[in-house]
């Protein structure tokens, strides 16, 4: 993989369009200790992994730690990836996201307060679409799919997924009952799934 | 949990707290329908990361690769594993693993055995058979989650979104004993998790107030939150 390609790791072109078939193969090789496969896996996935971790923890140093921790898990647990239960990219990003979320939830009060402050004072107007530093066709599709949601659905999903908030916290931040927050997250995500035509 | 099926989406975006996550994974281990739904919704959630993709710091690659070079990948699980034959036991393992927090954070296959498990007192309270959980709002959109196990006689409070105590002040926890309010600990960090001091088995409730530094023998301010242990969890 050349340098330019790896720098664009977030772009869809590098992901093997048929739902990560290539990545599944790379994971298989990782499980047998193939470090070249691991390097390639990193190159093909780290753009999305990095952007996601950074977005959740909102701190470069912490995002780097999250990525190190998450990729180490990916390497160790590669043999546990089960292609019958979903795509390789989603599996990997689940690990990254969970690692990032666990970190913000256990983080010391100061950083959390900043995040909370920031969110409240921006009236949650932040928009993932404004951050498309590396526009890609998939990013465009995601943006379109997000903008097709209701405002509450979009906010609830963004707070949960990018903010790392629990649904109870999402309810608090949006000043809606917990049941409503649950419904917004659920309806929104189902709609995203259907719009983006992802298959499990 | 009244309707565990309704939590697949929140699970897919990691919007469940540790306790809910553990409970839902227990359910996942026995509900194929939810596993399917989680799979699809997880794919959808993963798509969102397209919107934030960005090149990682160049030197990170070297660190990630050298970390891996020092660690051996785990072997595949042997045979078809026992996940379907021993759902109860494995569900319990999933709970323990989820409660162990960051130690084994990747719970794609919730019945996977944990590598390491560290069980703190707070963990034990949350894992207790008779653990009851109350989630209550705090001023300013913050949230308090209180978990109490009568059998262990302990209660744990976790706060999130709470500002640190103002200068010269401290947060003080209270247990409502039949005889009155008893001090149950102090903290000043906003977001924290504290095991309440004292016997939570005979207590009727728990509360949180802001007090002058050093705490007070009895509350001097109106509670930010009060959880009645007899109330609906």
């Amino acid at each position: 993989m050349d340098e330019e390609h790896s720098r664009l790791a977030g772009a869809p072109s590098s992901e093997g369009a048929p739902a990560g078939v290539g990545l599944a193969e790379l994971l298989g090789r990782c499980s047998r200790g193939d470090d070249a496969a691991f390097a390639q896996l990193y190159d093909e996935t780290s753009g999305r992994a990095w952007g996601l971790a950074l977005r959740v923890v909102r701190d470069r140093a912490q995002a780097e730690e999250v990525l190190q921790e998450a990729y180490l898990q990916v390497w160790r647990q590669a043999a546990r990836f089960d292609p019958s239960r979903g795509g390789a990219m989603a599996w990997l990003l689940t690990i990254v996201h969970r690692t990032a979320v666990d970190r913000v939830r256990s983080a010391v009060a100061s950083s959390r307060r900043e995040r909370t402050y920031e969110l409240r004072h921006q009236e949650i107007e932040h928009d993932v679409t404004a951050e498309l530093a590396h526009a890609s066709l998939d990013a465009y599709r995601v943006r379109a799919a997000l903008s097709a949601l209701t405002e509450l659905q979009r906010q609830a999903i963004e707070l949960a997924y990018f903010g790392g908030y629990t649904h109870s916290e999402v309810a608090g931040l949006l000043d809606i009952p917990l049941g409503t927050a649950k419904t917004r997250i659920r309806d929104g995500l189902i709609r995203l799934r259907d719009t983006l035509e992802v298959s499990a | 949990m009244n309707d565990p099926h309704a939590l697949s989406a929140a699970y897919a975006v990691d919007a469940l707290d540790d306790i809910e996550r553990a409970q839902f994974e227990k359910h996942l281990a026995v509900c194929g329908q939810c596993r399917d739904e989680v799979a699809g919704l997880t794919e959808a959630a993963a798509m969102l990361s397209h919107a934030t993709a960005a090149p990682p710091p160049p030197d990170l690659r070297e660190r990630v690769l050298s970390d891996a070079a020092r660690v051996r990948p785990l072997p595949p699980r042997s045979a078809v594993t026992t996940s379907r034959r021993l759902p109860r036991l494995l569900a319990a393992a999933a709970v323990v693993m989820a409660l162990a927090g960051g130690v084994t954070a990747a719970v794609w296959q919730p019945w996977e055995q944990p590598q390491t498990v560290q069980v703190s007192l707070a963990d034990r309270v949350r894992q207790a058979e008779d653990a009851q959980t109350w989630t209550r709002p705090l001023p300013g959109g913050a949230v308090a989650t209180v978990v109490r196990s009568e059998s262990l006689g302990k209660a744990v409070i976790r706060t999130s979104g709470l500002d640190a105590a103002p200068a010269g002040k401290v947060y003080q926890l209270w247990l409502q004993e039949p005889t009155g309010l008893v001090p149950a600990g102090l903290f000043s960090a906003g977001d924290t998790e504290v095991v309440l001091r004292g016997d939570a088995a005979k207590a009727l409730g728990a509360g949180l107030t802001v007090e002058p530094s050093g705490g007070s023998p009895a509350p001097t301010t109106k509670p930010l939150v009060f959880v009645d242990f007899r109330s609906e969890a």
Side-chain angles (χ1 to χ4, degrees):
Chain A
M1 171 137 322
D2 63 49
E3 184 59 22
E4 183 57 23
H5 193 184
S6 72
R7 281 185 55 78
L8 292 173
S13 57
S14 60
E15 272 152 33
V21 166
L23 295 181
E25 168 60 26
L26 289 176
L27 277 175
R29 286 166 54 195
C30 286
S31 70
R32 298 186 287 275
D34 182 340
D35 49 13
F38 184 60
Q40 193 183 342
L41 180 74
Y42 177 84
D43 290 338
E44 298 205 8
T45 58
S46 57
R48 281 171 70 185
W50 167 255
L52 178 59
L54 182 61
R55 179 55 185 264
V56 174
V57 303
R58 291 174 177 260
D59 174 86
R60 293 184 75 84
Q62 291 211 53
E64 291 185 19
E65 288 171 24
V66 164
L67 242 62
Q68 279 186 262
E69 197 180 323
Y71 272 99
L72 190 58
Q73 278 199 61
V74 167
W75 169 251
R76 292 188 72 229
Q77 308 203 356
R80 314 277 160 102
F81 165 67
D82 176 357
S84 72
R85 296 173 45 76
M89 190 70 194
W91 180 79
L92 185 146
L93 287 171
T94 300
I95 293 175
V96 171
H97 191 255
R98 185 73 60 85
T99 307
V101 164
D102 283 345
R103 180 165 288 246
V104 289
R105 291 197 189 148
S106 62
V108 286
S110 58
S111 74
R112 184 56 177 247
R113 277 202 317 284
E114 277 168 24
R115 284 159 21 84
T116 309
Y117 179 88
E118 194 178 344
L119 278 163
R120 288 200 193 120
H121 290 257
Q122 291 181 354
E123 293 176 342
I124 317 166
E125 50 71 44
H126 70 264
D127 182 350
V128 292
T129 62
E131 296 179 13
L132 292 172
H134 297 266
S136 68
L137 203 58
D138 277 316
Y140 177 81
R141 287 178 64 218
V142 169
R143 170 168 74 172
L146 274 170
S147 64
L149 302 181
T150 69
E151 189 63 12
L152 260 181
Q153 287 173 347
R154 189 181 64 75
Q155 286 177 338
I157 284 180
E158 289 191 24
L159 284 171
Y161 195 70
F162 291 126
Y165 291 97
T166 65
H167 54 188
S168 313
E169 293 167 334
V170 169
L173 284 163
L174 295 177
D175 204 15
I176 53 179
L178 176 58
T180 310
K182 284 183 187 173
T183 311
R184 295 296 177 269
I185 292 172
R186 183 178 168 78
D187 293 351
L189 200 56
I190 286 173
R191 205 153 142 193
L192 280 180
R193 180 192 66 190
D194 296 344
T195 311
L196 295 169
E197 292 177 331
V198 294
S199 51
Chain B
M1 216 163 5
N2 296 331
D3 183 13
H5 302 285
L7 292 180
S8 340
Y11 179 77
V13 294
D14 286 324
L16 300 180
D17 67 29
D18 292 350
I19 297 158
E20 295 166 324
R21 192 193 279 176
Q23 285 172 340
F24 185 68
E25 281 170 355
K26 214 159 143 181
H27 170 72
L28 263 189
V30 299
C31 180
Q33 194 187 333
C34 280
R35 279 201 300 273
D36 289 346
E37 186 163 86
V38 164
L41 295 176
T42 302
E43 296 284 338
M47 286 293 284
L48 293 171
S49 66
H50 280 296
T52 51
D59 60 330
L60 183 58
R61 184 179 192 273
E62 187 47 42
R63 273 178 282 149
V64 167
L65 298 187
S66 66
D67 282 352
R70 285 193 290 269
V71 177
R72 193 173 68 98
L74 297 169
R77 273 160 304 137
S78 54
V80 187
T81 79
T82 49
S83 64
R84 278 159 194 96
R85 273 181 286 147
L86 290 174
R88 277 181 60 102
L89 174 67
L90 290 158
V95 173
V96 170
M97 181 170 69
L99 290 171
V103 182
T104 48
V107 199
W108 183 256
Q109 289 147 329
W111 42 81
E112 197 166 277
Q113 290 291 336
Q115 304 307 313
T116 14
V117 174
Q118 296 165 344
V119 181
S120 65
L121 179 55
D123 287 336
R124 284 177 52 210
V125 171
R126 284 187 303 235
Q127 284 170 245
E129 286 277 337
D130 62 346
Q132 287 174 281
T133 305
W134 295 267
T135 301
R136 296 285 184 266
L138 292 169
V143 173
T145 306
V146 174
V147 185
R148 174 222 199 193
S149 161
E150 206 167 344
S151 63
L152 292 173
K154 284 291 167 194
V156 177
I157 184 168
R158 189 172 62 184
T159 53
S160 69
L162 185 64
D163 289 337
K169 305 280 186 191
V170 70
Y171 291 116
Q172 185 158 11
L173 294 159
W174 305 91
L175 279 176
Q176 173 75 60
E177 303 286 4
T179 50
L181 280 170
V182 181
L186 304 173
F187 65 96
S188 52
D191 286 355
T192 191
E193 183 176 80
V194 184
V195 178
L196 275 69
R197 206 177 58 220
D199 182 357
K202 61 178 162 55
L204 307 172
L208 175 66
T209 63
V210 178
E211 301 294 339
S213 286
S216 310
T220 62
T221 60
K222 190 167 162 285
L224 300 177
V225 67
F226 185 81
V227 171
D228 185 338
F229 290 156
R230 293 157 301 185
S231 68
E232 187 85 22

